[in-house]
Coordinates of all heavy atoms in Angstrom, one line a residue:
G173 N -4.1 24.8 12.1 CA -5.1 25.2 13.1 C -6.5 25.1 12.5 O -7.4 24.6 13.1
M174 N -6.6 25.6 11.2 CA -7.9 25.5 10.6 C -8.3 24.1 10.1 O -9.4 23.8 10.0 CB -7.9 26.5 9.4 CG -8.0 28.0 9.8 SD -9.5 28.3 10.7 CE -9.3 30.1 10.9
D175 N -7.3 23.3 9.9 CA -7.5 21.9 9.5 C -8.3 21.2 10.6 O -9.2 20.4 10.3 CB -6.2 21.2 9.3 CG -6.4 19.7 8.9 OD1 -7.5 19.4 8.3 OD2 -5.6 18.9 9.3
G176 N -8.1 21.6 11.8 CA -8.8 21.0 12.9 C -10.3 21.4 12.9 O -11.1 20.7 13.5
V177 N -10.6 22.5 12.3 CA -12.0 23.0 12.2 C -12.6 22.6 10.9 O -13.8 22.2 10.8 CB -12.0 24.6 12.3 CG1 -13.4 25.1 12.1 CG2 -11.4 25.0 13.6
A178 N -11.8 22.6 9.8 CA -12.4 22.4 8.5 C -12.5 20.9 8.1 O -13.2 20.5 7.2 CB -11.5 23.0 7.4
K179 N -11.7 20.0 8.8 CA -11.7 18.6 8.5 C -11.4 18.4 7.0 O -12.1 17.6 6.3 CB -13.0 17.9 8.9 CG -13.5 18.1 10.3 CD -12.5 17.5 11.3 CE -12.9 17.7 12.7 NZ -11.9 17.2 13.7
A180 N -10.3 19.0 6.6 CA -9.9 18.9 5.2 C -9.3 17.5 4.9 O -8.8 16.8 5.7 CB -9.0 20.0 4.8
K181 N -9.2 17.2 3.6 CA -8.5 16.0 3.1 C -7.0 16.2 3.2 O -6.5 17.4 3.2 CB -8.9 15.7 1.7 CG -10.3 15.4 1.4 CD -10.6 15.2 0.0 CE -12.1 15.0 -0.3 NZ -12.4 14.8 -1.7
E182 N -6.3 15.1 3.3 CA -4.8 15.2 3.4 C -4.2 16.0 2.2 O -3.3 16.8 2.4 CB -4.2 13.8 3.4 CG -2.7 13.7 3.5 CD -2.2 12.3 3.3 OE1 -3.0 11.4 3.5 OE2 -1.0 12.2 3.0
E183 N -4.7 15.7 1.0 CA -4.2 16.4 -0.2 C -4.4 17.9 -0.1 O -3.6 18.7 -0.6 CB -4.8 15.8 -1.4 CG -4.5 14.4 -1.8 CD -5.3 13.4 -1.0 OE1 -6.1 13.8 -0.2 OE2 -5.1 12.2 -1.2
E184 N -5.5 18.3 0.5 CA -5.8 19.7 0.6 C -4.9 20.4 1.6 O -4.4 21.5 1.3 CB -7.3 19.9 1.0 CG -8.3 19.5 -0.1 CD -9.7 19.5 0.4 OE1 -10.0 19.2 1.6 OE2 -10.6 19.9 -0.4
V185 N -4.6 19.7 2.7 CA -3.6 20.3 3.6 C -2.3 20.4 3.0 O -1.6 21.4 3.1 CB -3.6 19.4 4.9 CG1 -2.5 19.9 5.9 CG2 -4.9 19.4 5.6
A186 N -1.8 19.3 2.3 CA -0.5 19.3 1.7 C -0.4 20.4 0.6 O 0.6 21.1 0.5 CB -0.2 18.0 1.1
T187 N -1.5 20.6 -0.1 CA -1.5 21.7 -1.1 C -1.3 23.1 -0.5 O -0.5 23.9 -1.0 CB -2.7 21.6 -2.0 OG1 -2.8 20.4 -2.7 CG2 -2.8 22.7 -3.0
A188 N -2.1 23.3 0.5 CA -2.0 24.6 1.2 C -0.6 24.9 1.8 O 0.0 26.0 1.7 CB -3.1 24.7 2.3
I189 N 0.0 23.8 2.4 CA 1.3 24.0 3.0 C 2.3 24.2 1.9 O 3.2 25.1 2.0 CB 1.7 22.7 3.7 CG1 0.8 22.5 5.0 CG2 3.2 22.7 4.1 CD1 1.1 23.5 6.1
A190 N 2.3 23.5 0.8 CA 3.2 23.7 -0.3 C 3.1 25.1 -0.9 O 4.1 25.7 -1.2 CB 2.9 22.7 -1.4
L191 N 1.9 25.6 -1.0 CA 1.7 27.0 -1.5 C 2.3 28.0 -0.6 O 2.9 29.0 -1.0 CB 0.2 27.2 -1.8 CG -0.4 26.4 -2.9 CD1 -1.9 26.7 -3.0 CD2 0.3 26.8 -4.3
V192 N 2.1 27.8 0.7 CA 2.7 28.7 1.7 C 4.2 28.8 1.6 O 4.8 29.8 1.6 CB 2.3 28.3 3.2 CG1 3.2 29.0 4.2 CG2 0.8 28.7 3.4
V193 N 4.8 27.6 1.5 CA 6.3 27.5 1.3 C 6.7 28.2 0.0 O 7.7 29.0 0.0 CB 6.7 26.0 1.3 CG1 8.2 25.9 1.0 CG2 6.5 25.4 2.7
L194 N 6.0 27.9 -1.1 CA 6.4 28.5 -2.4 C 6.3 30.0 -2.4 O 7.3 30.7 -2.6 CB 5.5 27.9 -3.4 CG 5.6 28.5 -4.8 CD1 7.0 28.3 -5.4 CD2 4.6 28.0 -5.8
F195 N 5.1 30.5 -2.1 CA 5.0 32.0 -2.2 C 5.6 32.7 -1.1 O 6.2 33.8 -1.3 CB 3.5 32.3 -2.3 CG 2.9 32.0 -3.6 CD1 2.1 30.8 -3.7 CD2 3.1 32.8 -4.7 CE1 1.5 30.5 -5.0 CE2 2.5 32.5 -5.9 CZ 1.7 31.3 -6.1
G196 N 5.7 32.2 0.1 CA 6.3 32.8 1.2 C 7.8 32.9 1.0 O 8.5 33.9 1.4
T197 N 8.4 31.9 0.4 CA 9.8 31.9 0.1 C 10.2 32.9 -0.9 O 11.2 33.6 -0.9 CB 10.3 30.5 -0.3 OG1 10.0 29.5 0.7 CG2 11.8 30.5 -0.6
L198 N 9.3 33.1 -1.9 CA 9.5 34.1 -3.0 C 9.4 35.5 -2.4 O 10.1 36.4 -2.9 CB 8.4 33.9 -4.1 CG 8.5 32.7 -4.9 CD1 7.4 32.6 -5.9 CD2 9.9 32.6 -5.7

Side-chain angles (χ1 to χ4, degrees):
M174 287 298 183
D175 178 34
V177 176
K179 304 299 182 184
K181 298 177 182 178
E182 178 190 343
E183 292 83 356
E184 293 173 325
V185 177
T187 298
I189 293 290
L191 292 175
V192 164
V193 172
L194 172 63
F195 286 101
T197 302
L198 292 175

